[in-house]
Amino acid sequence: MTFQNRKILIGITGSIAAYKIPLLVRLLIKEGAEVKVLMTPAACDFVTPLTLSTLINHPVCIEPFDKATGAWNSHVDLANWADLFLLAPLTANTLAKMATGVTDNLLMATYLAARCPVFFAPAMDLDMYKHPTTQRNIEIVRSFGHTLIEPGSGELASGLYGEGRMEEPEHIAEILSSFFYKSKSFAGKNVLVTAGPTLEAIDPVRFISNHSSGKMGFALAGELSARGANVTLVSGPVSLATPSKNIHRIDVVSASQMLEACKNIAPSANLIIMAAAVADFTPKEIHKTKIKKKQTPSLLELIPTIDILATLGKQKQPHQTIVGFALETDNVLENARMKLQNKNADIIVLNSLSDEGAGFGGSNNKITILDTKGRDTAYELKPKTEVAADIADYIFDFMSRQSA
Ligand code: CTP
């Protein structure tokens, strides 16, 4: 475990578990981290700012304006300073503010200004933790791409026994350490990711397309960028924001435009991930003017689009790893393995439409990953941001074995 040159900002909120934070701070500093601490006024009832400022060798920030010294604690400076923002212990109250954007203290203003990865470690009584509103807020905050450090089970300060106890400092430190280790795992790698649907025009106002939202491809692009990759994201029409300003995004509309963009970028890519739901057919002719209702064609003649994955698979170079996606409804494993072979891919991520809550449009996905080594690994239903992390872990392991 090392935190050499890492800047960690810890936000403490008003829970009894705050007494464990000085231990965490000591651990992080011992392993090389630079730590700054933000506290809500309520947190000061559980642990003293003096204890923490002595340990971190920085003043502890509580209010935007420190009346005693006249100093202004800039939330933007604090947010920009951090490589990682950990909210621990996190109360149900501050969790709800994170989910809704209520900004009534310095900690919340800093949270909203932070662009770095955010981890949160809830601590509360078991009924508060289980309450639907808390669970919903956790899901909302996770959907922002933040990482939940799940509370453990055990005796709670209230005397009740169950889930809600903040994770122990040693384990929190391990989680952060493994995150920093991963954050470098794709450094120096050029990655091409495709995402979203393609739109195949019939005339200037009509098109053929599919229900792909682009969420899976965007989550992957974000995850790989966070792990140090130099990501180019080629996206069909979607209504999603680019997950990081470090990602180079190219917007396309049709399958042929996506093919052209990919052919230009692929030669310099170490890793190619084809998460787009490329249309398999396109109208043979695009009408130049809108087809009038009275001229309704009795037949729409379609021709196949070029398979981008198979094209890049044919041109695969020794330094490249190619990952395809497969959406299957029957004989799922056999069909996916066939795609792996036919398209000369190294890895196929299989989505099954029959899994409830998974697939197109939604925020969750359930995948099985197959590779050319004959392995297939099934995963649980998870938010797409977490699925992206599983896929990135798998690819990292696969690429490490290839180069070993
Ligand atoms: N794909 C592609 N170009 C196409 C069609 C698909 O690059 N013209 C890629 C997708 O991005 C995905 C993979 O091929 O990574 C598999 O897509 P899928 O729709 O499951 O399979 P198809 O090859 O289209 O075959 P089928 O529809 O018959 O299952």
Side-chain angles (χ1 to χ4, degrees):
M1 188 157 63
T2 172
F3 292 98
Q4 215 59 48
N5 301 323
R6 299 298 188 184
K7 297 191 182 100
I8 301 175
L9 179 63
I10 303 183
I12 309 177
T13 70
S15 153
I16 177 64
Y19 82 89
K20 294 182 182 173
I21 299 303
L23 299 171
L24 174 65
V25 167
R26 278 214 59 177
L27 251 171
L28 298 175
I29 289 178
K30 196 168 140 247
E31 299 301 336
E34 192 179 346
V35 177
K36 286 191 182 180
V37 171
L38 265 167
M39 293 172 78
T40 60
C44 304
D45 291 335
F46 295 95
V47 61
T48 76
L50 180 62
T51 309
L52 287 150
S53 63
T54 309
L55 287 171
I56 63 176
N57 209 16
H58 282 292
V60 167
C61 304
I62 303 161
E63 302 286 352
F65 180 69
D66 187 333
K67 288 188 188 111
T69 62
W72 179 55
N73 291 316
S74 160
H75 55 292
V76 174
D77 288 351
L78 275 166
N80 287 342
W81 171 86
D83 294 325
L84 184 146
F85 189 8
L86 167 71
L87 291 114
L90 180 65
T91 56
N93 184 38
T94 300
L95 170 68
K97 291 184 199 175
M98 290 166 75
T100 52
V102 173
T103 312
D104 61 352
N105 59 33
L106 179 65
L107 184 143
M108 278 308 301
T110 308
Y111 163 69
L112 285 189
R115 289 189 226 144
C116 62
V118 174
F119 284 64
F120 61 107
M124 62 198 78
D125 241 335
L126 82 159
D127 293 312
M128 291 173 80
Y129 186 67
K130 276 193 192 151
H131 196 284
T133 194
T134 304
Q135 290 303 315
R136 189 194 54 208
N137 287 337
I138 286 177
E139 283 322 307
I140 292 173
V141 170
R142 284 172 99 184
S143 76
F144 301 156
H146 304 337
T147 306
L148 166 70
I149 301 180
E150 284 190 50
S153 267
E155 197 183 344
L156 300 162
S158 60
L160 294 172
Y161 194 90
E163 213 177 1
R165 204 161 77 164
M166 189 185 80
E167 187 50 271
E168 292 305 323
E170 293 78 10
H171 193 211
I172 294 180
E174 275 166 22
I175 290 170
L176 301 188
S177 159
S178 100
F179 167 77
F180 280 124
Y181 171 74
K182 277 184 189 168
S183 71
K184 288 248 175 225
S185 55
F186 284 86
K189 298 276 184 237
N190 293 329
V191 181
L192 163 62
V193 181
T194 65
T198 65
L199 258 62
E200 310 301 320
I202 298 170
D203 69 13
V205 293
R206 303 179 180 95
F207 57 81
I208 302 172
S209 190
N210 57 61
H211 292 298
S212 170
S213 64
K215 282 182 190 161
M216 195 61 249
F218 273 60
L220 263 169
E223 184 66 32
L224 291 161
S225 171
R227 296 186 187 204
N230 176 23
V231 179
T232 303
L233 174 61
V234 177
S235 175
V238 293
S239 50
L240 295 173
T242 313
S244 155
K245 62 180 180 1
N246 297 326
I247 294 173
H248 175 50
R249 173 167 170 179
I250 299 172
D251 286 316
V252 297
V253 176
S254 64
S256 66
Q257 288 173 358
M258 188 172 273
L259 173 70
E260 280 318 302
C262 289
K263 282 207 297 205
N264 288 336
I265 299 150
S268 60
N270 307 94
L271 171 63
I272 297 169
I273 304 180
M274 307 293 296
V278 187
D280 289 324
F281 321 102
T282 192
K284 188 171 178 195
E285 271 174 48
I286 306 175
H287 281 255
K288 292 212 165 39
T289 53
K290 185 183 167 196
I291 304 169
K292 299 302 282 178
K293 198 159 45 183
K294 285 198 184 112
Q295 305 161 345
T296 310
S298 53
L299 274 178
L300 186 62
E301 203 177 337
L302 301 174
I303 52 168
T305 56
I306 294 177
D307 191 316
I308 306 171
L309 175 57
T311 306
L312 302 184
K314 257 189 218 133
Q315 298 165 1
K316 188 161 68 175
Q317 300 163 48
H319 71 274
Q320 290 185 322
T321 300
I322 301 189
V323 181
F325 273 66
L327 184 68
E328 303 292 344
T329 51
D330 52 316
N331 294 330
V332 291
L333 276 178
E334 295 94 281
N335 284 340
R337 201 155 278 291
M338 221 133 71
K339 270 180 198 163
L340 189 66
Q341 228 174 30
N342 296 344
K343 302 196 187 206
N344 199 26
D346 299 285
I347 294 172
I348 289 278
V349 179
L350 168 65
N351 299 290
S352 168
L353 267 190
S354 52
D355 290 311
E356 210 175 309
F360 272 0
S363 296
N364 293 328
N365 207 0
K366 187 171 184 319
I367 58 160
T368 301
I369 305 183
L370 297 89
D371 67 20
T372 44
K373 310 270 177 257
R375 297 183 294 180
D376 53 78
T377 311
Y379 294 81
E380 298 291 310
L381 180 71
K382 293 179 185 185
K384 283 181 179 168
T385 46
E386 287 175 34
V387 174
D390 286 340
I391 296 172
D393 285 345
Y394 196 99
I395 296 172
F396 178 70
D397 178 68
F398 184 91
M399 289 173 84
S400 310
R401 286 169 195 244
Q402 294 285 88
S403 55

